Amino acid sequence: MAQTPDEPLTMTVHSLPTPDQASAVSAAATRRGRWKMIALLLVCASPVIASYLTYYVIRPEGRRNYGELVQPQRALPAWQGTDVQGRPVPLSSLKDQWLLISVADTACNEACQKHLYLQRQLRETLGREKDRLDWVWLRTGDAPLDPALQQATAAATVLQVPADELARWLEPAPGHRIEDHLYVVDPIGNWMMRFPADIDPQKAKRDLDRLLRASAFWDRPGRED
């Protein structure tokens, strides 16, 4: 019905929110934003979480891991090593691959040579999956690398590193030296496992097989350019 000229105009006045109401609305929006951020992080991390759950929690046939799990895990350090050509190489650049690491003085005694041979053999026995695991020797000391040893480790990543820095990252089992173990680093760059001294190759291979299977749906060979 149309308004007649004699009828007064009417207006509706809406009250503005009080400062308390505005603060409550802002706080609610902040909480929603935080939950969305957490959800996004969980989505991004879910493949990694799932693979670790598969390995650590859902243990088929009741088998237990042979290697000792490192808690808390330790990220690759920020310092650099030196390759056999004398070039600086950041340790963080080794990420995006599984790493099987040995540590020894450059002189490389019998135990060192045994570890290097075992690393190569373990990698080769992985078959098609071997390209997802890098064989790494972190060598200490200032002696030059013997040419024969350099040739024998041509397929490995060999980096000269400071022993004191290395000791702040990797840690041996009680009663052992840092050189007594082989160490496993995941593709995210975390040291997460230490194999026992006097390692059993068959049991170590079983652990590596299981790690690679558990991470197969998110981990791919090679590193990002």
Side-chain angles (χ1 to χ4, degrees):
M1 181 175 177
Q3 188 176 33
T4 64
D6 295 332
E7 292 178 340
L9 293 174
T10 60
M11 298 180 65
T12 302
V13 178
H14 297 279
S15 60
L16 294 174
T18 65
D20 287 345
Q21 290 173 326
S23 297
V25 171
S26 176
T30 300
R31 284 195 297 270
R32 286 195 298 272
R34 286 175 179 169
W35 280 113
K36 288 180 181 178
M37 179 71 72
I38 291 171
L40 179 61
L41 290 173
L42 287 174
V43 168
C44 294
S46 59
V48 181
I49 294 170
S51 65
Y52 278 114
L53 282 174
T54 302
Y55 184 73
Y56 298 144
V57 181
I58 308 170
R59 292 171 174 169
E61 303 172 13
R63 292 176 299 178
R64 298 183 62 84
N65 49 285
Y66 170 64
E68 181 182 355
L69 304 179
V70 176
Q71 296 293 340
Q73 297 174 3
R74 303 183 187 181
L76 281 163
W79 40 267
Q80 295 182 334
T82 305
D83 68 12
V84 293
Q85 284 79 37
R87 299 171 299 193
V89 178
L91 259 69
S92 59
S93 68
L94 302 182
K95 290 198 304 185
D96 299 324
Q97 285 279 86
W98 287 98
L99 308 177
L100 183 60
I101 297 176
S102 64
V103 176
D105 186 270
T106 301
C108 198
N109 60 18
E110 183 179 350
C112 161
Q113 294 178 34
K114 179 181 177 181
H115 270 173
L116 292 175
Y117 174 77
L118 180 57
Q119 285 175 278
R120 184 183 67 183
Q121 293 303 104
L122 283 171
R123 184 174 182 271
E124 289 300 318
T125 59
L126 296 175
R128 294 183 304 175
E129 300 296 332
K130 73 177 185 178
D131 290 336
R132 293 171 57 199
L133 178 116
D134 280 0
W135 162 22
V136 179
W137 175 23
L138 300 181
R139 63 185 183 95
T140 57
D142 298 325
L145 186 60
D146 181 85
L149 195 55
Q150 181 175 339
Q151 183 177 1
T153 56
T157 299
V158 180
L159 296 177
Q160 185 178 20
V161 296
D164 55 342
E165 295 283 359
L166 191 58
R168 282 193 276 270
W169 177 45
L170 298 177
E171 183 179 347
H176 289 280
R177 302 173 307 144
I178 195 171
E179 296 88 355
D180 293 340
H181 303 280
L182 294 182
Y183 305 87
V184 179
V185 173
D186 67 24
I188 305 169
N190 292 323
W191 168 40
M192 48 75 64
M193 180 177 283
R194 176 178 60 211
F195 285 124
D198 300 320
I199 183 173
D200 182 323
Q202 292 300 319
K203 292 180 180 179
K205 179 183 182 302
R206 185 189 67 194
D207 273 5
L208 293 174
D209 281 336
R210 291 172 61 199
L211 282 169
L212 293 176
R213 284 200 306 270
S215 61
F217 65 98
W218 62 270
D219 173 51
R220 295 291 180 269
R223 295 183 174 86
E224 296 179 2
D225 295 331

